[in-house]
Amino acid sequence: MQTAVRLGSYLAVLCVVFGAAWGAGAAFGGSGDGPAPAAAHEPGMASMAPPPAAAGPDPADPLGLSATAAGYTFVPTTTSFAVNSPTTFSFRITGSDGAPVTAFDVAPDQEFRPGERMNLLVVRRDAAGMQDLSPTMGPDGTWSVPFLLPAAGVWRAYADFVPTGGPRLALGTDLFAPGEFDPFTFPDSRIFPPTGAPAAVDGYQVRIDGRLVPGVPSAIYTTVGRWGQPVTELEPTRGGFGRLVAVREGDLAYVRVRPETTRPLPTDRAGPAIAFTTEVPTAGTYRFFLGYRHEGRTGTAEFTVSTAGS
């Protein structure tokens, strides 16, 4: 089944969601005094800048469908991994001359911990099992991160980054875990909750509201509850109070989603609502993945959402 998406302003969503789901309302609970969003061009991690590259892709084009764009290429060290075998995933971003790029900036809406310069996401081709990873770069331009593929199949990896002197890019490449394919199974309804109902994740109830309209900015609201009560103590994670990412079903085009909040301080808390804005490129069905943190534990809720009229 597909999660319902509803019309309405932010305040209307808060009233409906809090009243119907948990019987109580709470505005954003952070201090509101967090630092300003990151500047468009923070210093790169190394002094070596890439050679001049071609113009960036059209912002309206689907993202992550190619390993190469604007003269830059996403180059994994290996693309084959044993199932449930802890290892390291390593890769480079190369420029038009084939040399590794070692200088990167940060876009204003990228959600990073201090010092990070790369978003790395991995999801299986059936649009399940999203992993949100934090790679680090070595002096030679090789990025690496602890890695484990929990099931056989073809997986899609996305590198979302801003090379110094170049455009913001999202490049994608396939990874392979040989073995017999089986759909993911979970002890709860985190993947396909009943229509209009929250996704259940380890005692938490998470729901998504909004209206996806292709080609224009769409407001998306998520709310987090626990044991029937709203969670008002969500903790900062990845530069916000929650991280929402999306892919289009079918070709797995990557969709950026930005939080509508300033970067919180480590001591700030918020909830139960988290506001985001996204722009999907076409009509169709999309998979959304919300990462959140509460009481020192992280959770991920997954949703299937169709555009208006689909």
Side-chain angles (χ1 to χ4, degrees):
M1 296 185 182
Q2 296 177 346
T3 302
V5 288
R6 284 161 289 278
L7 289 164
S9 66
Y10 180 43
L11 291 177
V13 170
L14 291 180
C15 293
V16 172
V17 171
F18 301 165
W22 295 293
F28 283 93
S31 68
D33 297 325
H41 293 288
E42 295 185 12
M45 294 183 64
S47 60
M48 182 185 296
D58 187 325
D61 290 343
L63 303 173
L65 298 183
S66 174
T68 299
Y72 297 88
T73 303
F74 180 10
V75 184
T77 301
T78 183
T79 58
S80 184
F81 300 87
V83 174
N84 278 322
S85 179
T87 186
T88 298
F89 177 49
S90 59
F91 63 94
R92 291 178 173 180
I93 303 299
T94 61
S96 56
D97 60 355
V101 177
T102 59
F104 295 85
D105 293 335
V106 176
D109 61 340
Q110 280 183 299
E111 302 166 80
F112 281 137
R113 301 182 184 95
E116 290 185 342
R117 294 291 186 276
M118 176 74 65
N119 281 328
L120 180 67
L121 305 169
V122 180
V123 64
R124 203 168 66 171
R125 275 285 178 182
D126 58 347
M130 174 69 76
Q131 298 184 42
D132 188 350
L133 306 176
S134 300
T136 57
M137 191 186 75
D140 66 347
T142 299
W143 294 85
S144 60
V145 65
F147 192 60
L148 183 147
L149 292 181
V154 180
W155 295 73
R156 189 71 175 171
Y158 305 91
D160 186 352
F161 60 94
V162 183
T164 298
R168 184 176 180 183
L169 298 169
L171 304 180
T173 192
D174 282 342
L175 309 177
F176 306 91
E180 183 177 351
F181 177 86
D182 287 309
F184 280 112
T185 57
F186 296 100
D188 50 44
S189 59
R190 73 176 68 178
I191 289 187
F192 295 112
T195 300
V201 186
D202 300 326
Y204 291 85
Q205 300 82 43
V206 187
R207 61 185 292 161
I208 189 168
D209 293 87
R211 185 173 184 265
L212 288 182
V213 180
V216 299
S218 299
I220 297 293
Y221 309 97
T222 62
T223 50
V224 182
R226 188 183 189 190
W227 311 123
Q229 298 297 318
V231 172
T232 59
E233 293 290 319
L234 292 172
E235 300 166 8
T237 177
R238 303 302 292 269
F241 287 111
R243 177 165 161 80
L244 190 64
V245 298
V247 295
R248 185 170 60 189
E249 283 196 345
D251 61 2
L252 293 191
Y254 170 59
V255 179
R256 294 190 180 110
V257 185
R258 69 175 185 270
E260 293 299 323
T261 182
T262 57
R263 293 181 182 273
L265 296 173
T267 55
D268 288 343
R269 297 294 183 266
I274 316 169
F276 302 90
T277 300
T278 189
E279 186 170 330
V280 296
T282 62
T285 302
Y286 292 80
R287 294 277 288 145
F288 282 80
F289 303 83
L290 175 70
Y292 58 92
R293 184 175 178 85
H294 181 237
E295 295 182 348
R297 299 173 57 194
T298 58
T300 301
E302 308 184 16
F303 301 91
T304 301
V305 182
S306 294
T307 54
S310 295

